[in-house]
């Protein structure tokens, strides 16, 4: 009787399409549909039968024409009609870029890019007494960041821009650039200024500064600058300021003061202070200058800008984090220190200013017990959570936030059984911001931080062809952990591989420990989803992942200890 009742439930299961949402808009040339229906009845999309899993889940991909597309999904006597609008990528907001206030030093290039009708020559920019011709530049469209996550890269296509540069030699306000083509003129709302190099503003960071390679969040991140860092403003573009050492910061992160003094400091004695879990390297400075940090296997390198070495003595006490060091004045105004760890694995770092003393904090490796993970701290971040942040949806509407919490709690239980102290960023279905999750990692100072997720794809992805374990790392100290856990899960949990990626993600950027984001499978893959929500498969995955974490810790700590006993060499 029970089997007949369950069979009736399956038979009358409603046709569900959980993606795309109503009136979806995309620039992709095709889109996948995620849904489910009674496995006893076939499903058609636009009159064509679609492939399904044994539980009735489906994920066909449908080509899209420009404009509105009506997609009909039929399962048995039930029908759903979806409207998906395909649009072209948004054009440049103005015909001339940049169209914001711009400042440069005398003699620096002032460069512009225009989008005007093809064959509109002559095209030029008029700026005060300058006239800059723009020439056509034809190139392939760049590979977008998200395209790296697709199993097959999209066609790039060809586009044409007009580009050109000029130089302003005298300080002053040059005014608003005018774009001229075919007798037409467009005036930019932005004002161009050439700065006086003897009268530059001084910027002081009021919060940790997220430095960028260019003027905007589309540009890559540089080493975050600690609170109190000072440098001259040598240019700006809109709300972004360029500092003298080369990084760009948003105006809201700094206070500005008039100053004719060029930031510079001398560096004399350097000393260390060894604590229970961290070694501190102290650099006494006259001015809190910008820094950059670079990691390689077993090496952390810090560059101090606007600095001249007058160093005769350095005291570096025996430390679990540092075996030896080198330093050099690599260029006028740049001093570089390289600290070599006992082994290839680095365990975390931090940097701060205490008044004008720059402090580099270097993490010690954990001390492992022979028979347990006693003394090891592990932070687990169940991805998403709360009423708004559902994450990806499975074919039956199951939200990612639900299964990330389930697997995180199972993993925490397995790790605690091994003696580890485990912290979760959430233990129930509540919203936790990315900033709060990062703060918890920095505050708890775990030896390992894992953010657990289940994956989806951009609209153009091929769902049936994409599944498996993905691992993402940002700092080199996390790369070995990402690779090890990916390989361990694909081998011992017998899962497909999606790949290992360098990923600029909020939960991979903390520096206090190796931090990795794991995508444990694809919510949207009809068959892999069935494995994701299977209770026994979840138990098995948690067990294998706990084994993998312990195996990596023991391998990394043993390697560090062995290297500490060997000969010293870079």
């Amino acid at each position: 009787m029970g089997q007949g009742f369950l069979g009736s439930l399956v038979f009358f299961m409603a046709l569900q399409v959980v993606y795309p949402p109503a009136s979806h808009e995309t620039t992709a040339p095709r889109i996948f549909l995620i849904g489910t229906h009674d496995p006893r009845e076939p499903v058609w999309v636009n009159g064509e039968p679609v492939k399904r899993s044994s539980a009735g889940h489906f994920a066909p991909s449908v080509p899209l024409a420009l404009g509105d597309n009506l997609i009909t999904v039929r399962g048995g006597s039930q029908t759903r009609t979806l409207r998906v609008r395909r649009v072209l990528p948004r054009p440049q907001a103005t015909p001339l870029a940049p169209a914001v206030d711009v400042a440069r030093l005398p003699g620096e290039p002032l460069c512009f890019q225009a989008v005007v009708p093809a064959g509109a020559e002559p095209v030029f920019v008029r700026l005060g007494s300058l006239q800059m011709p723009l020439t056509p530049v034809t190139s392939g469209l760049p590979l977008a960041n998200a395209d790296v996550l697709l199993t097959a890269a999209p066609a790039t296509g060809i586009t044409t821009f007009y580009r050109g540069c000029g130089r302003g030699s005298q300080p002053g306000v040059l005014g608003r650039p005018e774009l001229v083509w075919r007798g037409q003129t467009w005036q930019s709302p932005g004002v161009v200024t050439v700065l006086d190099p003897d009268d530059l503003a001084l910027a002081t960071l009021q919060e940790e500064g997220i430095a960028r390679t260019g003027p905007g969040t589309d540009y890559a991140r540089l080493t975050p600058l600690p609170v109190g860092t000072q440098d001259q403003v040598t240019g700006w573009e809109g709300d972004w300021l360029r500092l003298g050492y080369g990084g760009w910061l948003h105006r809201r992160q700094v206070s500005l003061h008039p100053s004719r003094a060029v930031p510079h400091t001398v560096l004399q004695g350097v000393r260390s202070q060894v604590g229970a879990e961290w070694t501190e390297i102290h650099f006494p400075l006259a001015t809190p200058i910008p820094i950059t940090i670079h990691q390689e296997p077993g090496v952390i390198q810090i560059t101090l800008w606007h600095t001249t070495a007058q160093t005769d003595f350095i005291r570096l006490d025996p430390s679990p984090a540092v075996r030896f060091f080198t330093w050099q004045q690599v260029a006028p105004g740049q001093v570089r220190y390289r600290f070599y760890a006992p082994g290839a694995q680095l365990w975390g770092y931090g940097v701060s200013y205490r008044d004008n003393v720059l402090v580099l904090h270097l993490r010690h490796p954990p001390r492992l017990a022979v028979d347990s993970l006693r003394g090891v701290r592990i932070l687990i971040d169940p991805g998403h959570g709360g009423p708004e942040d559902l994450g990806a949806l499975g074919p039956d509407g199951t939200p990612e936030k639900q299964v990330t919490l389930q697997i995180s709690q199972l993993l925490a239980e397995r790790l605690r059984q091994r003696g580890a102290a485990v912290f979760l960023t959430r233990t129930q279905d509540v919203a936790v911001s990315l900033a709060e999750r990062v703060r918890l990692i920095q505050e708890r100072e775990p030896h390992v931080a894992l953010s657990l997720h289940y994956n989806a794809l951009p609209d153009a992805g091929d769902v049936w062809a994409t599944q498996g374990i993905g691992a993402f790392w940002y700092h080199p100290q996390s790369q070995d952990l990402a690779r090890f856990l990916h390989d361990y899960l694909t081998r011992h949990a017998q899962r497909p591989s999606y790949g290992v990626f360098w990923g600029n993600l909020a939960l991979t950027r903390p520096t206090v420990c190796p931090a990795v984001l794991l995508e444990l499978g694809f919510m949207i893959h009809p068959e892999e989803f069935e494995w994701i929500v299977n209770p026994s498969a979840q138990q098995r995955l948690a067990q294998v992942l706990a084994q993998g974490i312990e195996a990596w810790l023991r391998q990394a700590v043993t390697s560090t200890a062995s290297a500490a006993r060997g000969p010293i060499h870079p």
Side-chain angles (χ1 to χ4, degrees):
M1 182 175 178
Q3 288 182 342
F5 177 66
L6 289 174
S8 299
L9 281 179
V10 172
F11 184 80
F12 290 110
M13 186 168 61
L15 173 65
Q16 283 186 280
V17 180
V18 300
Y19 190 85
S23 302
H24 184 60
E25 187 174 286
T26 182
T27 60
R30 62 182 186 270
I31 193 167
F32 53 75
L33 279 61
I34 305 299
T36 192
H37 184 57
D38 181 353
R40 302 181 186 184
E41 296 184 338
V43 171
W44 291 268
V45 173
N46 289 343
E48 296 291 330
V50 299
K51 179 181 177 181
R52 302 167 69 198
S53 72
S54 59
H57 308 320
F58 54 83
S61 192
V62 178
L64 298 175
L66 284 173
D68 287 334
N69 294 260
L70 293 180
I71 302 173
T72 301
V73 184
R74 182 163 61 88
S77 61
Q78 303 173 63
T79 301
R80 300 284 183 272
T81 301
L82 310 174
R83 183 183 300 272
V84 177
R85 183 172 180 79
R86 181 188 170 196
V87 297
L88 291 174
R90 298 189 186 281
Q92 191 171 302
T94 61
L96 185 67
V100 294
D101 290 348
V102 172
R104 295 290 187 270
L105 293 172
E108 281 194 286
L110 293 165
C111 297
F112 297 91
Q113 176 175 290
V115 178
V116 294
E121 298 90 340
V123 180
F124 60 91
V125 170
R126 189 162 51 217
L127 179 59
S129 61
L130 297 175
Q131 183 164 301
M132 294 167 275
L134 305 187
T135 56
V137 178
T138 302
S139 62
L141 292 173
L143 184 68
N145 274 311
D147 293 338
V148 177
L149 304 178
L150 300 177
T151 52
T156 58
I158 299 296
T159 188
T160 300
F161 301 98
Y162 289 84
R163 294 175 180 164
C165 299
R167 298 176 190 271
S169 58
Q170 297 298 319
V173 177
L174 300 186
R176 303 181 189 277
E178 292 182 326
L179 174 64
V180 182
W181 78 98
R182 282 185 183 168
Q184 300 184 59
T185 301
W186 182 85
Q187 187 177 59
S188 171
V191 174
V192 176
T193 300
V194 177
L195 299 173
D196 182 350
D198 295 324
D199 190 20
L200 299 176
L202 184 70
T204 301
L205 268 72
Q206 303 302 303
E207 58 184 68
E208 183 181 66
I210 308 301
R212 300 275 181 174
T213 57
T217 54
D218 289 340
Y219 289 88
R221 289 172 175 250
L222 297 171
T223 302
L225 300 178
V227 175
T229 300
Q230 294 183 344
D231 204 356
Q232 285 185 313
V233 176
T234 62
W236 62 73
E237 197 161 309
D239 290 329
W240 289 82
L241 306 177
R242 184 185 64 187
L243 301 189
Y245 87 107
W248 291 76
L249 293 174
H250 197 279
R251 286 178 187 267
R252 68 171 175 268
Q253 297 177 302
V254 304
S255 61
L256 299 176
H257 325 276
S259 174
R260 291 181 176 271
V262 178
H264 187 266
T265 187
V266 295
L267 180 58
Q268 296 181 337
V270 177
R271 63 183 296 272
S272 69
Q273 180 175 313
V274 181
E277 293 198 10
W278 295 85
T279 292
E280 295 183 353
I281 313 294
H282 292 199
F283 303 88
L285 306 171
T287 301
I289 43 77
I291 55 107
T292 52
I293 291 178
H294 173 72
Q295 288 185 333
E296 295 175 3
V299 183
I300 187 162
Q301 171 181 291
I302 182 169
T303 301
L304 284 64
W305 295 84
H306 310 319
T307 302
T308 300
Q310 292 183 349
T311 307
D312 288 326
F313 298 100
I314 295 173
R315 177 170 178 168
L316 190 64
D317 294 330
S319 162
V322 183
R323 199 166 187 208
F324 70 102
F325 72 94
T326 61
W327 76 270
Q328 64 181 137
Q329 184 90 41
V330 293
Q334 292 181 45
V335 180
R336 181 168 298 158
Y337 282 79
R338 291 169 63 88
F339 297 94
Y340 293 80
Q345 180 60 45
L346 299 174
W347 293 93
Y349 74 89
V351 65
S352 62
Y353 271 111
R354 296 176 188 164
D355 296 322
N356 283 359
V357 177
L358 176 67
V359 182
L360 174 64
H361 312 255
L362 300 176
R363 187 78 181 271
H364 299 172
R367 298 174 181 174
L368 283 181
V370 174
D371 57 351
S372 75
L373 293 179
R374 186 174 63 256
V376 174
R377 298 192 300 277
I378 298 172
L379 183 140
I380 302 172
D381 171 53
H384 308 283
E388 302 296 329
D389 187 7
L390 307 181
L393 298 179
D396 64 357
T398 299
E400 179 187 352
K401 66 173 184 175
Q402 176 179 313
V403 282
T404 59
L405 184 57
Q406 290 170 344
I407 195 66
S408 295
Q409 290 172 326
L410 290 171
L411 175 60
E413 179 184 352
R414 301 300 188 282
L415 290 170
R416 287 174 180 139
Q417 290 171 355
R418 286 173 158 77
V422 183
F423 312 99
L424 275 72
T425 58
R426 67 182 180 94
T427 57
Q428 52 189 323
D429 183 19
V430 294
V432 183
S433 69
L434 290 177
E436 176 64 10
R437 295 170 198 250
V438 171
R439 187 193 67 77
L440 288 169
I441 295 175
Q442 300 289 86
E443 182 182 272
R444 295 285 190 174
E445 294 184 359
H447 296 101
V448 168
L450 295 179
S451 185
L452 303 185
H453 290 254
Y454 290 90
N455 220 339
L457 284 172
D459 284 345
D462 185 343
V463 175
W464 277 102
T466 312
Q467 59 177 317
I469 304 295
F472 295 78
W473 60 275
Y474 183 75
H475 298 290
Q477 66 191 24
S478 305
Q479 183 177 10
D480 188 66
L481 174 60
R483 170 61 67 184
F484 186 96
L485 292 181
H486 166 273
D487 293 351
Y488 199 92
L489 289 173
T490 54
R491 183 169 64 252
H492 294 282
Q494 300 179 323
R495 301 307 303 161
S497 166
Y498 178 54
V500 180
F501 302 82
W502 180 86
N504 181 9
L505 305 168
L507 274 300
T508 59
R509 289 196 297 262
T511 65
V512 297
C513 67
V516 168
L517 186 146
L518 291 176
E519 298 279 5
L520 297 171
F522 278 77
M523 290 289 291
I524 61 178
H525 191 284
E527 292 176 340
E528 189 162 52
F529 171 74
E530 296 174 19
W531 171 79
I532 288 170
V533 296
N534 182 289
S536 61
Q538 290 178 342
Q539 295 277 355
R540 172 62 179 158
L541 177 62
Q543 180 69 18
V544 171
L545 186 49
Q547 291 170 352
I549 293 168
E550 180 170 8
W552 180 82
L553 282 166
R554 294 199 177 280
Q555 171 186 286
V557 170
T558 300
S559 175
T560 297
S562 299
R565 294 189 293 267
I568 294 177
H569 56 80

